[in-house]
């Protein structure tokens, strides 16, 4: 009996270092990375393969770059679709299997004739659950090559990670794009060396307008596809301003030139929205770029925006969604965690303080809405203190309405406010009775 007990103790002593080693192996990743790896579920091995690959590279920045991608990956996804027949069976079709969009369209029409009544089915694919190690590694290697050979100089590693390295721009379907874009737009780097970045962006505008059609006047796409994938952009050669802005980011980043997608969620004095870019020069000097503008390089906005937001890959700590639950936020861009408010770079702004109606629902946040498309649309937010709030960096020249959002509905939280160049006027009704004559 004593002998068996002794053997067990010896066995535990022998196995203890192995257990500690295994634990150490699992705990080597930074906490933010480990958190995402756990969320990846069955796809965790793919992400760990990518990490393992970079850990063996003598360039220590590659591992840091891969960690950057993975620790922010859980907020990213593709909004895509596939086609089904009347019985709900998936139809095999991939437009990128054809040499051009014309051939793909003919093939799809043949399917329509053969299987009448087919329809698209929307699908959301989370990056952490679907992305492969090979995709991540190829993206990283090509991004580092582009960074090294870029005509834009003095780009810090942190800026490279945010504005060159990411494999996606928005919610487009994931497609392997870097090599094709590098080859197609290689002339951009060459022109920058000879003519400088601002002049080259003028030439980019001319080039793109010769082969890519802006379709905003013709309505949206028939299929439920909010954004075209990078290779679809080259295949279809057409899309509205959001696709054009994505295309600019893909083109610039393929050359190692930092670039961002900027969104104007709503115009504050008109209907609709807009999508533009920032391209960064030497030492990260920002250049405004709007290929649809009459003055594409450093042009001024034609009207007041509700906000101008720079989309990032990384989560940003000051977004509303970083601390508020999704159900308490209107179902629009405010639910995102990856944007930076850059409105003051495009329009004169001011803080707007306002008094609120009684807060019967004990809300903690109130929303600033602008009138767009015959509706009041929430475009910013402020924390409630007592019966007041303050909205930061709101554009001058607009009217905003404070609103509560509860149970999926927006209700007025205060009177509308006209934000002038130097004054703010509360548009409250006059309640005094007029004397009868």
């Amino acid at each position: 009996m004593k002998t068996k007990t002794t053997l067990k103790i010896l066995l535990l002593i022998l196995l203890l270092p192995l257990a500690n080693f295994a634990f150490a192996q699992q705990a080597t990743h930074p906490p933010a990375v480990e958190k995402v790896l756990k969320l990846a579920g069955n796809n965790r091995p793919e992400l760990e393969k990518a990490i393992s690959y970079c850990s063996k590279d003598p360039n220590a920045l590659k591992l840091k770059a891969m960690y950057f991608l993975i620790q922010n990956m859980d907020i990213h996804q593709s909004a895509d679709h596939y086609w089904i027949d009347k019985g709900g069976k998936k139809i095999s079709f991939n437009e990128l299997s054809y040499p051009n969009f014309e051939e793909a369209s003919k093939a799809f029409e043949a399917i329509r004739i053969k299987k009448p009544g087919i329809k698209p089915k929307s699908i959301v694919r989370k990056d952490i659950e679907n992305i492969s190690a090979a995709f991540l590694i190829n993206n990283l290697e090509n991004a580092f090559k582009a960074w090294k050979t870029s005509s834009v100089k003095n780009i810090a590693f942190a800026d490279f990670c945010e504005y060159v390295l990411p494999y996606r721009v928005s919610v487009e379907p994931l497609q392997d794009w870097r090599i094709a874009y590098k080859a197609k737009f290689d002339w951009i780097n060459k022109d920058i060396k000879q003519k400088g970045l601002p002049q080259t962006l003028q030439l980019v505008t001319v080039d793109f307008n010769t082969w890519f059609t802006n379709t905003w006047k013709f309505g949206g796409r028939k299929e439920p596809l909010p954004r075209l994938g990078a290779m679809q952009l080259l295949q279809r050669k057409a899309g509205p301003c959001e696709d054009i802005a994505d295309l600019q980011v893909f083109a610039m980043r393929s050359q190692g030139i930092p670039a961002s997608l900027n969104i104007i969620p709503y115009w504050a004095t008109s209907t609709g929205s807009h999508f533009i870019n920032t391209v960064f020069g030497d030492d990260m000097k920002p250049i405004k770029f709007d290929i649809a503008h009459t003055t594409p390089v450093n042009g001024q906005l034609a009207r007041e925006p509700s906000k101008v937001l720079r989309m990032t890959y990384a989560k940003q700590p000051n977004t509303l969604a970083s601390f508020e639950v999704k159900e308490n936020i209107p179902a629009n861009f405010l639910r995102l965690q990856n944007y930076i408010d850059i409105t003051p770079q495009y329009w004169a702004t001011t803080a707007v303080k306002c008094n609120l109606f009684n807060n019967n629902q004990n809300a903690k946040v109130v929303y600033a809405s602008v009138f767009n498309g015959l509706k009041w649309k929430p475009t910013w937010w402020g924390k409630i203190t007592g019966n007041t709030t303050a909205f930061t960096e709101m554009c001058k020249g607009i009217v905003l309405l404070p609103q509560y959002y509860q149970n999926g509905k927006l209700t007025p939280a205060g009177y509308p406010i006209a934000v002038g160049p130097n004054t703010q006027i509360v548009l409250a009704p006059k309640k005094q009775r007029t004397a009868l004559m």
Side-chain angles (χ1 to χ4, degrees):
M1 202 61 187
K2 186 175 180 180
T3 304
K4 289 183 178 180
T5 303
T6 304
L7 287 173
K8 287 181 179 179
I9 293 172
L10 288 172
L11 186 60
L12 286 173
I13 292 172
L14 290 171
L15 291 177
L16 187 60
L18 294 176
N20 289 335
F21 176 76
F23 177 79
Q25 286 293 95
Q26 292 180 356
T28 53
H29 307 308
V33 175
E34 182 60 34
K35 180 181 177 181
V36 173
L37 290 174
K38 289 178 180 178
L39 294 173
N42 294 334
N43 200 48
R44 175 171 182 151
E46 287 296 309
L47 302 184
E48 289 186 319
K49 283 180 189 177
I51 292 172
S52 177
Y53 172 87
C54 293
S55 67
K56 298 172 184 176
D57 196 291
N59 185 350
L61 291 181
K62 289 186 179 180
L63 179 59
K64 291 182 179 180
M66 189 61 74
Y67 278 155
F68 170 84
L69 290 177
I70 292 174
Q71 72 187 33
N72 292 290
M73 189 179 291
D74 56 316
I75 65 170
H76 294 286
Q77 60 189 24
S78 297
D80 204 349
H81 73 286
Y82 58 86
W83 294 88
I84 58 175
D85 60 20
K86 288 182 178 180
K89 185 178 179 181
K90 183 177 180 180
I91 294 172
S92 179
F93 175 76
N94 180 5
E95 66 182 83
L96 297 178
S97 299
Y98 299 88
N100 53 59
F101 190 56
E102 291 73 20
E103 291 297 321
S105 297
K106 290 179 182 178
F108 186 71
E109 284 305 312
I111 294 174
R112 276 186 183 275
I113 294 172
K114 187 177 180 180
K115 296 180 179 290
I118 65 173
K119 60 181 180 180
K121 183 176 178 59
S122 298
I123 186 172
V124 172
R125 294 186 175 94
K126 294 182 179 180
D127 288 4
I128 57 173
E129 296 175 355
N130 293 279
I131 205 163
S132 70
F135 182 92
L136 284 172
I137 292 167
N138 288 337
N139 172 79
L140 180 137
E141 290 290 2
N142 285 306
F144 268 81
K145 288 177 183 177
W147 183 29
K148 185 177 180 180
T149 59
S150 175
S151 296
V152 172
K153 303 302 180 185
N154 301 325
I155 303 304
F157 176 69
D159 295 317
F160 160 77
C161 285
E162 192 64 80
Y163 300 115
V164 177
L165 175 66
Y167 53 83
R168 68 156 63 254
V169 176
S170 52
V171 294
E172 76 280 0
L174 285 185
Q175 293 159 6
D176 196 352
W177 54 274
R178 285 198 181 266
I179 293 176
Y181 273 73
K182 175 64 177 175
K184 183 173 179 62
F185 301 110
D186 186 57
W187 63 270
I188 293 176
N189 257 329
K190 296 176 182 177
D191 275 21
I192 290 174
K193 291 179 181 178
Q194 298 176 356
K195 303 168 184 176
L197 182 56
Q199 181 61 31
T200 299
L201 292 178
Q202 297 282 3
L203 298 175
V204 168
T205 304
V206 173
D207 174 75
F208 276 59
N209 285 331
T210 63
W211 65 271
F212 196 93
T213 302
N214 189 337
T215 62
W216 72 272
K217 292 182 180 180
F218 311 111
R221 283 184 282 274
K222 294 180 180 179
E223 70 267 56
L225 193 57
R227 294 288 205 283
L228 292 178
M231 299 309 293
Q232 288 172 301
L233 290 167
L234 299 185
Q235 176 105 319
R236 297 196 183 190
K237 301 177 183 177
C241 61
E242 53 264 45
D243 284 335
I244 296 173
D246 282 1
L247 177 61
Q248 304 309 313
V249 178
F250 286 125
M252 295 301 158
R253 290 180 181 177
S254 73
Q255 307 307 309
I257 302 168
S260 71
L261 169 70
N262 307 331
I263 68 171
I264 297 171
Y266 315 110
W267 292 114
T269 56
S270 181
T271 296
S273 58
H274 194 39
F275 299 79
I276 53 182
N277 300 109
T278 298
V279 179
F280 298 92
D282 292 345
D283 302 302
M284 289 300 289
K285 180 181 179 181
I287 299 175
K288 301 172 187 175
F289 189 44
D290 182 0
I291 202 169
H293 199 286
T294 53
T295 307
V297 180
N298 286 327
Q300 299 298 312
L301 294 178
R303 60 185 68 86
E304 294 84 352
S306 61
K307 278 288 180 182
V308 184
L309 306 175
R310 176 174 296 152
M311 306 308 297
T312 63
Y313 179 84
K315 303 164 192 170
Q316 301 301 321
N318 296 321
T319 59
L320 177 60
S322 67
F323 66 87
E324 184 61 278
V325 296
K326 182 175 70 174
E327 290 73 21
N328 293 339
I329 305 174
N332 66 2
F333 70 94
L334 290 171
R335 291 186 174 183
L336 301 176
Q337 296 183 51
N338 57 316
Y339 58 82
I340 300 170
D341 183 8
I342 59 170
T343 310
Q345 297 180 24
Y346 285 83
W347 205 268
T349 63
T350 185
V352 177
K353 298 180 180 179
C354 60
N355 296 320
L356 304 174
F357 300 151
N358 289 334
N359 182 8
N360 297 324
Q361 301 295 327
N362 296 317
K364 297 178 181 179
V365 171
V366 67
Y367 296 92
S369 296
V370 296
F371 197 66
N372 179 295
L374 301 180
K375 292 181 179 179
W376 288 102
K377 297 182 178 180
T379 191
W380 206 236
W381 57 277
K383 291 184 178 180
I384 298 173
T385 304
N387 285 323
T388 64
T389 192
F391 302 116
T392 59
E393 307 291 5
M394 302 306 296
C395 289
K396 296 181 178 181
I398 71 171
V399 174
L400 62 84
L401 175 68
Q403 290 188 298
Y404 295 124
Y405 180 76
Q406 287 154 339
N407 300 319
K409 294 183 179 180
L410 287 159
T411 56
Y415 293 118
I417 300 173
V419 185
N422 302 305
T423 60
Q424 297 174 19
I425 301 173
V426 179
L427 304 178
K430 292 183 178 180
K431 298 180 180 180
Q432 298 89 344
R433 291 188 178 183
T434 303
L436 295 175
M437 297 297 292

